[in-house]
Amino acid sequence: MALRPIDNALPTTTPERPKKQPKIAVATQKQQDRAAADNGENQVPLPSSGDATVDYVSSVNLKPLSDPEVQIQSLIEDLNSKNWIKVCESLNNARRFAVFHSPLLFPILGNIVLVVAKTMKNPRSALCKTAIMAAADIFNAFGDKLLDPETSDAVDGLLLQLLLKASQDKRFVCEEADRALGSMVSSMTPLPLLQKLRVYVSHKNLRVRAKAAASLSTCVSKMQGLEEMEQFGLAELIEVAADLLNDRLPEARDAARSIATDVYEALTKDAEQKMELWQSFCQSKLPPIHALSMLKIVKP
């Protein structure tokens, strides 16, 4: 005999139980409710996963300090603070000193340059970029004064850090470092700066080589004719160009072509037989294969 279905039979599947809300979410909701009830008073701040926001102030928007004679007294100490937000503020103050109160900054300029270079090594990008911006303002404010014996060694360290930062992958840091290198080249006499940059065009890091080469070529283009180039050494300039012409990076090769062209124009300015003079010069200073490369760059 067939069995009749029983209407009140137990269900074959168990309904899914509602999930408990995570305790951390409940706690967060309670905090939000309490904050709303208090209109924001006595609210317990939740931990932040990111850094505090840092405003990058352009040089044209900087303002003079309210009491520079007093604030200069603690500037070095503030720049060495363990609180990175305070260091950022102090770097911007150093920039304000450079732009508006440079006579007060000059007596401690060497120490300031050392601290700025050290801060560029910090892995926190906000500190690094602000330090680079400070370097640019210092270059623009002091120019050749940075080449004085009291600050020259500190500038060497600063130059290396700028070349390294201009060579890294973080675009906004790299671009800022490029601008600072541009400020350095435009604010200083070419010859002594060439002597500093010469060391880095043979650096083991190919990106550092390329950045140094670009700055060096700009220095050469600023030189006032053959006499100034001869003070550095025409032979050394053409050797640098020949070496960079075989570099792996296009930026370095472009710098090599620019240097070679500037030397050619200065050397042959008053010559009637320009290519003959250029060929003789290259062959006397370079190995044959490098001399041939130099001859191919310049077109009469």
Side-chain angles (χ1 to χ4, degrees), residues 51 155 282 298:
D51 291 339
V155 170
C282 291
V298 178

Side-chain angles (χ1 to χ4, degrees), residues 29-106:
Q29 185 63 46
K30 287 180 180 179
Q31 288 177 351
Q32 291 174 351
D33 292 342
R34 190 182 302 116
D38 293 342
N39 291 324
E41 295 181 2
N42 303 320
Q43 182 180 3
V44 179
L46 299 176
S48 173
S49 59
D51 291 339
T53 302
V54 174
D55 293 327
Y56 301 110
V57 185
S58 64
S59 300
V60 295
N61 291 327
L62 291 170
K63 304 296 182 185
L65 292 156
S66 59
D67 196 358
E69 289 80 5
V70 173
Q71 290 168 285
I72 194 68
Q73 303 300 323
S74 61
L75 183 59
I76 295 292
E77 180 182 351
D78 293 342
L79 285 168
N80 285 301
S81 172
K82 293 182 179 179
N83 183 329
W84 75 271
I85 294 291
K86 186 172 184 178
V87 175
C88 272
E89 293 172 352
S90 301
L91 284 168
N92 280 325
N93 283 342
R95 298 174 63 203
R96 295 161 75 186
F97 272 109
V99 174
F100 299 106
H101 318 285
S102 58
L104 291 174
L105 193 64
F106 184 70

Side-chain angles (χ1 to χ4, degrees), residues 11-30:
T12 57
T13 59
T14 304
E16 186 177 353
R17 297 176 63 185
K19 294 182 179 180
K20 288 186 177 181
Q21 190 176 13
K23 290 183 179 180
I24 186 170
V26 174
T28 303
Q29 185 63 46
K30 287 180 180 179

